[in-house]
Amino acid sequence: MKLTSICIALICMFSIGACKKITASADVAANNTTDTVYTSDRTYNLNVVYFVPTDNPEIAGYQKRLSEILLRAQEFYESEMLRNGYSDKTFGLLKDADKGLVKIILIKGNLGKASYPYTGGSTAVMTEVTAYRSAHPDEFSSDHSLIILPAASYSSTGEPGGVPFYGTGKNCYALDYADFDLKYLGSSDTLGTRMTKWTGGMFHELGHGLNLPHNCAKQSERSNLGTALMGSGNLTYGLSPTFLTSADAAILSNNQVFNTGAATYYGSVTSAISRIHSSYNATTNAIIVSGRFTTNIPVTDILYYNDPDVNGEGTGANHDYNAVAWSTKVIGVDSFYVEMPVTDFQYKTTYDYQLKVKLVHNNGTVKETVYNYQFVNSQVVIDINTKDELSRTGWSVDSYSSQQTSAPATSLIDSNLSSSWHSQYSVAPAAVYPHYVTVNLGSVQTASGFIIGNGASRPVKTFDFLYSTDGVTYTLAGSYTLQKVTAKQAFYFTTPLNLKYFKILANSSWDGTQYAQLSDAGLFFD
Ligand code: ZN
């Protein structure tokens, strides 16, 4: 499931204050004149919607003003794709080039502006946009929509706000106000800095709506390229250099509305990192990551996001503005290799990092695997290394505490991280901790440790690993804490063990619920 990307940075700047006079649209509705013809060179185009509450009409001149801004956005994305090595690539728009107009779908909402607030308002808007789309399917031509609302409130200084302004999957939201006009962009006065904020903000949210997560500039990019749009470039666009990173460009290159054909986008993929190795090279002062993957849909690029946990911000969407990312092409058909100079990192004293390795498929789908490493006292501490696992031929599930029929205990040993064992939850009462699965290896084997793949939805936190040679008497090998990441995690026994059975006894969950989910369990010897 794709996480919702929300820019909370902007909300604090809003306040409901003195109203600013808004002129209702009295100008000629150029979109509606019969001689306006919108065309595009491609099948898929960004849907642009102007959504108007019953008590907050469209703002005068919006078609011309917003068209100019959208065309500027199209140019910005195109120039940044070109700089990143992709020629003639930007998002499609239906437009009348002669008139300089972009097709904007005007939707009259059923409710007042109070029903479409910043927090949660997107849900109410999307309900009506979806209904409108069902009734007017020909007006839409892709999975991606930018939805613009007239500002619902203004602060005492005239700052607009009060409407959704963030990305939710392939939809994103921006706002309009009377002075939202390119003629102000680049000026350092009030209207100019306001223009940067809401234009850069729109371009940034559009990035989310076009599949982009947050990431910031490398240290070596800051002096010549400036600020990454998907970092804090929403506050710099128009005033100082603002750019798209190579990771952004790799994702966009496979985006539905960045391509001219009628191919099918965003289908499911079956892919995984099959081997990964990491190291720190002291000579080059770089983190090196390499590996191989398997996939049923071609992969064009591999991305490496390094996301530090700064000031206990945590991980995930909205905690990733400071992630620094690299991109590489595939080596051969299934391999990858990257060197990431430590000098390009901003946070490198003592920090927990997530390494998110993303496979970018040519159908636009991005598959992410998350690993953990650290900086400790300015030293890189990284040990992300695939173990040589014992063959699972002859293995079977011996017993289990409970299972969900759709997520059986056998999924734990099927060597597929996409399937998982889940404790029973569909029939009341749902099973409670502790949960366990025991595995019969079929014969006594020797292992120096074991690997566990945690659940993506209901990850386990603490567990015991027990082993046996007769399936009757079990001995505790140790108690462990799993990380809340989707990659396999390796644990060593104190000394190598001979065992015919093992038992994973899960004792607690990361989310505090009674549910347990694990995707994989295996043994290794090295
Ligand atoms: Zn954002």
Side-chain angles (χ1 to χ4, degrees), residues 228-486:
L229 179 70
M230 300 314 294
S232 53
N234 52 314
L235 300 175
T236 60
Y237 178 78
L239 287 177
S240 63
T242 304
F243 73 103
L244 292 176
T245 67
S246 65
D248 296 334
I251 293 173
L252 293 175
S253 178
N254 292 288
N255 181 294
Q256 181 190 52
V257 296
F258 275 65
N259 289 284
T260 55
T264 300
Y265 284 83
Y266 310 133
S268 65
V269 298
T270 301
S271 63
I273 307 287
S274 53
R275 294 196 72 80
I276 187 165
H277 297 284
S278 66
S279 60
Y280 168 71
N281 185 321
T283 306
T284 57
N285 189 26
I287 296 171
I288 296 172
V289 174
S290 62
R292 304 183 81 165
F293 58 85
T294 58
T295 185
N296 65 334
I297 300 288
V299 169
T300 64
D301 301 82
I302 300 93
L303 312 181
Y304 316 83
Y305 287 69
N306 297 264
D307 184 11
D309 182 5
V310 178
N311 296 326
E313 66 182 359
T315 57
N318 290 331
H319 308 294
D320 53 355
Y321 289 94
N322 42 30
V324 59
W326 276 259
S327 67
T328 64
K329 295 296 180 185
V330 178
I331 298 171
V333 294
D334 64 354
S335 299
F336 57 88
Y337 177 92
V338 67
E339 291 188 25
M340 301 183 284
V342 170
T343 51
D344 270 332
F345 287 68
Q346 180 178 2
Y347 299 98
K348 49 193 175 188
T349 51
T350 296
Y351 292 98
D352 288 335
Y353 264 83
Q354 282 197 336
L355 173 66
K356 303 174 184 176
V357 180
K358 305 188 190 218
L359 301 177
V360 184
H361 301 77
N362 71 356
N363 68 353
T365 299
V366 179
K367 180 83 171 281
E368 172 183 282
T369 307
V370 182
Y371 305 88
N372 284 356
Y373 71 99
Q374 291 87 33
F375 276 74
V376 178
N377 298 325
S378 302
Q379 301 289 313
V380 177
V381 180
I382 189 166
D383 180 17
I384 303 167
N385 290 299
T386 303
K387 300 299 181 188
D388 289 321
E389 294 181 33
L390 304 187
S391 167
R392 299 182 188 180
T393 302
W395 289 22
S396 59
V397 169
D398 196 55
S399 63
Y400 51 82
S401 52
S402 76
Q403 67 177 5
Q404 188 63 21
T405 305
S406 58
T410 50
S411 296
L412 203 57
I413 53 171
D414 67 357
S415 299
N416 180 2
L417 287 175
S418 298
S419 67
S420 60
W421 162 58
H422 200 301
S423 58
Q424 189 282 125
Y425 61 83
S426 61
V427 179
V432 300
Y433 277 92
H435 303 286
Y436 71 86
V437 175
T438 58
V439 175
N440 181 347
L441 311 182
S443 61
V444 175
Q445 300 181 26
T446 303
S448 50
F450 63 97
I451 61 92
I452 296 281
N454 211 346
S457 304
R458 297 292 187 181
V460 168
K461 186 171 185 180
T462 59
F463 69 99
D464 297 334
F465 187 99
L466 302 103
Y467 66 101
S468 171
T469 52
D470 60 7
V472 178
T473 304
Y474 279 84
T475 303
L476 180 69
S479 299
Y480 307 88
T481 299
L482 277 168
Q483 295 173 339
K484 197 169 60 174
V485 297
T486 54

